[in-house]
Amino acid sequence: MAVQITPSILNADLSRLADEVARIPSADWVHVDVMDGHFVPNLTLGAPMFESLARHSSLPLDAHLMIEDPDRWAPAYVEAGAGSVTFHVEAAAAPVRLAREIRAQGARASMALKPATPVDPYEDLLGELDMLLLMTVEPGFGGQRFLDLCLPKIRRARELIDKHGLELWLQVDGGVSAETIERCAEAGADTFVAGSAVYSAEDPDAVVQQLRSLATAADG
Ligand code: DX5
Ligand code: ZN
């Protein structure tokens, strides 16, 4: 699987989202963090704003739903134009049904795990997914420090994916930067969210390209 860089716009200038997306032409996807103030102690945007961004983005949108009751709300993000929708397993009442519903609507279905959620109990669900997102910080805010304690889980997820011969992408999110991306790639991640590392730079696209080459070189 080729390396994919999916910058998060959480730390971009939220008043000019379309312009901020235009600054990262080398990215594969734009990662959009949807937070509801309940599942995480922060609030960002909802489906109407997501839909406006989808209309003005030249890149496909990867919706990361940090919300309660994704069973109810996730389908609206496919309708709003998401190419990929990630729900948290800690919040989903029926993750298999939800993944199937997202796929049936025509988007990629993805499931996220917080740092303290183990991957092994979900081994049999992986075939229902197009992507598995492993959080490498506690979800809620950009700019947090990467948690090295998540690396064994990345390795374990890669083993399970390979054991079952699955094609799903393994995404990491939180504290990913030029300092940490090689560790993630060596552990088996292939899809990388980076928020503050990209948008705190003067030339965000140069960071996207740098992250891609570091991850590609480190990919064991
Ligand atoms: C955190 C979000 C991340 C965040 C990443 O809850 O899910 O996508 O924006 O930002 P950095 O790269 O700054 O950790
Ligand atoms: Zn995210």
Side-chain angles (χ1 to χ4, degrees), residues 8 10 31 33 35 64 66 135 139-143 173-175 193-196:
S8 160
L10 186 61
H31 180 88
D33 290 303
M35 305 186 186
H64 177 193
M66 285 160 278
M135 291 300 305
F141 301 94
D173 181 10
V193 179
S196 49

Side-chain angles (χ1 to χ4, degrees), residues 67-129:
I67 62 173
E68 284 180 0
D69 204 0
D71 305 70
R72 176 173 176 193
W73 301 109
Y77 289 86
V78 184
E79 284 162 26
S84 171
V85 175
T86 300
F87 58 86
H88 269 266
V89 70
E90 301 89 354
V96 174
R97 186 175 64 204
L98 182 54
R100 289 184 179 182
E101 194 177 343
I102 292 167
R103 280 178 155 179
Q105 284 183 289
R108 296 177 60 87
S110 164
M111 192 171 83
L113 273 53
K114 298 206 285 185
T117 305
V119 67
D120 277 279
Y122 303 106
E123 176 173 357
D124 296 336
L125 257 78
L126 297 178
E128 299 286 335
L129 303 171

Side-chain angles (χ1 to χ4, degrees), residues 136-157:
T136 42
V137 298
E138 291 292 352
F141 301 94
Q144 301 181 77
R145 230 180 119 191
F146 180 82
L147 294 172
D148 277 289
L149 60 86
C150 298
L151 288 168
K153 185 164 57 175
I154 301 173
R155 275 186 218 105
R156 179 65 183 148

Side-chain angles (χ1 to χ4, degrees), residues 10-207:
L10 186 61
N11 278 57
D13 179 344
L14 297 177
S15 70
R16 11 188 319 273
L17 280 183
D19 297 339
E20 291 288 74
V21 169
R23 293 173 75 204
I24 49 164
S26 303
D28 297 284
W29 294 74
V30 180
H31 180 88
V32 182
D33 290 303
V34 176
M35 305 186 186
D36 66 353
H38 294 278
F39 182 72
V40 288
N42 196 4
L43 185 64
T44 55
L45 50 83
M49 215 161 140
F50 189 97
E51 187 175 10
S52 296
L53 179 60
R55 265 190 270 118
H56 292 99
S57 170
S58 47
L59 295 169
L61 302 189
D62 161 26
H64 177 193
L65 305 182
M66 285 160 278
I67 62 173
E68 284 180 0
D69 204 0
D71 305 70
R72 176 173 176 193
W73 301 109
Y77 289 86
V78 184
E79 284 162 26
S84 171
V85 175
T86 300
F87 58 86
H88 269 266
V89 70
E90 301 89 354
V96 174
R97 186 175 64 204
L98 182 54
R100 289 184 179 182
E101 194 177 343
I102 292 167
R103 280 178 155 179
Q105 284 183 289
R108 296 177 60 87
S110 164
M111 192 171 83
L113 273 53
K114 298 206 285 185
T117 305
V119 67
D120 277 279
Y122 303 106
E123 176 173 357
D124 296 336
L125 257 78
L126 297 178
E128 299 286 335
L129 303 171
D130 297 299
M131 184 166 81
L132 178 70
L133 165 53
L134 300 181
M135 291 300 305
T136 42
V137 298
E138 291 292 352
F141 301 94
Q144 301 181 77
R145 230 180 119 191
F146 180 82
L147 294 172
D148 277 289
L149 60 86
C150 298
L151 288 168
K153 185 164 57 175
I154 301 173
R155 275 186 218 105
R156 179 65 183 148
R158 170 52 61 196
E159 275 173 22
L160 295 176
I161 292 167
D162 292 349
K163 172 180 156 192
H164 293 282
L166 298 170
E167 299 278 305
L168 79 160
W169 303 346
L170 183 54
Q171 187 179 52
V172 286
D173 181 10
V176 176
S177 68
E179 309 298 311
T180 57
I181 195 167
E182 290 161 296
R183 273 175 260 167
C184 298
E186 278 159 14
D190 54 24
T191 304
F192 304 88
V193 179
S196 49
V198 168
Y199 278 104
S200 65
E202 218 143 279
D203 182 350
D205 203 56
V207 177

